[in-house]
């Protein structure tokens, strides 16, 4: 436990919340549980998160957003769109696999939390679609990709790679043939986008 | 109940098995349950299916194979590969949606049975991949598709359309935007295959 003079920031509260989730599972992580873990009054936690729902949404959001910086950097990089798209999809898949493989119980806990917070998840998917749209738009602008509706294409790319990001498939992500499967799907999709 | 002189064929037994599953759920459908439903001795059923496992495998297989004739006809038709591929994927998705929508409980029962019979499911997927391979091979031979490994491409097509055939997604199949999503993924995949 940190010394009591450490300021109680939202980040510290969310870290403690993850700790509570890791130890006690998705049923726990109420404001009171988290306050107890931090050795503070629940009033202090309520000053940052007004309800159990707000706290659980925020911790789900933090988990989903973990890899957004890396993905955003790739989406907005100065590199050919084909290269960025392949790298973006590969980075997303690697991040998901890492999260699922490193701590399968915590992963399952977050999947359960995500299913309670469908708006948080929808917001996360929108951000992912924004990245993909950015890549597709710049590929079209550069003449690297054929002309098409960038947003609809982003959605199609997201849907066609479901197996590599939907946690439903997490049990398969450690299969030895998943890398080949990923490469084959990527290749087909990139061939579909490329201008001829 | 049919008159006792009707011969007890495997087809009649499997029909009765589906009936038992529909009425009593996946836990039922043992040889004894089915014999009772048919009004015959369980010995008569055992003459065709040597165990509960064999019976449950056979009824799962029958359910999975229901649309194989239609799909096989499309895969082997004399039509451009692009057209056959689009029609094959659309027919598969429509068949799955129909099965899921017509009787969601029976669908859930069969999904549970399928998860017990992973070898039966693997055999079914192989047949689906055979159809897709046939289409891709003929498209390559006709110069309609670019040269590529037909089997690996079949697998990539299967993987990229997961959302439209994996029963995990059945709850979404009635969403109004699923037709658009399907069309967008199909278009992207066909563009990837086409020779330029």
């Amino acid at each position: 436990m940190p010394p009591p003079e450490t300021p109680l920031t939202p980040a510290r509260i969310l870290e403690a919340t993850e700790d509570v989730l890791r130890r006690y599972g998705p049923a726990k992580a109420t404001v009171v549980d988290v306050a107890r873990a931090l050795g503070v009054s629940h009033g202090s936690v309520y000053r940052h998160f007004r309800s159990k729902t707000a706290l659980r949404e925020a911790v789900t959001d933090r988990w989903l957003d973990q890899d957004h910086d890396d993905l955003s950097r790739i989406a907005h990089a100065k590199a050919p769109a084909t290269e960025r798209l392949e790298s973006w999809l590969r980075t997303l898949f690697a991040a998901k696999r890492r999260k699922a493989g490193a701590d399968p119980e915590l992963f399952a806990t977050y999947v359960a939390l995500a299913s309670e917070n469908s708006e948080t998840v929808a917001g996360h998917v929108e951000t992912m679609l924004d990245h993909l749209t950015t890549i597709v738009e710049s590929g079209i602008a550069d003449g690297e990709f054929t002309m098409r509706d960038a947003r609809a294409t982003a959605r199609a790319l997201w849907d066609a790679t479901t197996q590599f990001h939907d946690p439903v498939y997490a049990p398969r992500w450690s299969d030895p043939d998943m890398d080949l499967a990923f490469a084959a799907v990527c290749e087909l999709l990139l061939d579909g986008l490329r201008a001829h």
Side-chain angles (χ1 to χ4, degrees), chain A residues 13-53:
Chain A
I13 295 172
L14 291 177
E15 211 156 305
T17 306
E18 182 167 295
D19 223 49
V20 168
L21 286 169
R22 183 181 286 119
R23 287 199 219 166
Y24 307 109
K28 281 281 178 174
T30 64
V31 170
V32 173
D33 296 321
V34 172
R36 192 176 302 132
L38 283 162
V40 301
S41 74
H42 53 82
S44 323
V45 177
Y46 276 120
R47 231 163 283 137
H48 297 277
F49 297 98
R50 281 180 307 171
S51 64
K52 171 185 147 186
T53 306

Side-chain angles (χ1 to χ4, degrees), chain A residues 90-149:
Chain A
R90 185 175 299 280
T91 302
L92 176 68
F93 184 31
K96 295 267 182 164
R97 271 176 141 173
R98 197 175 48 240
K99 287 200 251 185
D103 191 338
E105 265 187 67
L106 185 65
F107 187 78
T109 291
Y110 272 116
V111 169
L113 272 184
S115 74
E116 285 174 12
N117 294 287
S118 57
E119 277 185 43
T120 307
V121 174
H124 161 76
V125 171
E126 282 306 307
T127 306
M128 299 290 94
L129 293 176
D130 288 346
H131 290 179
L132 287 168
T133 305
T134 299
I135 301 175
V136 174
E137 273 170 351
S138 69
I140 294 170
D142 295 346
E144 203 180 328
F145 293 163
T146 43
M147 190 66 187
R148 48 172 81 235
D149 178 332

Side-chain angles (χ1 to χ4, degrees), chain A residues 150-171:
Chain A
R151 190 71 184 185
T153 304
R155 180 88 232 181
L157 289 166
W158 182 254
D159 285 343
T161 51
T162 297
Q163 227 177 105
F164 311 108
H165 55 70
D166 190 328
V168 154
Y169 291 102

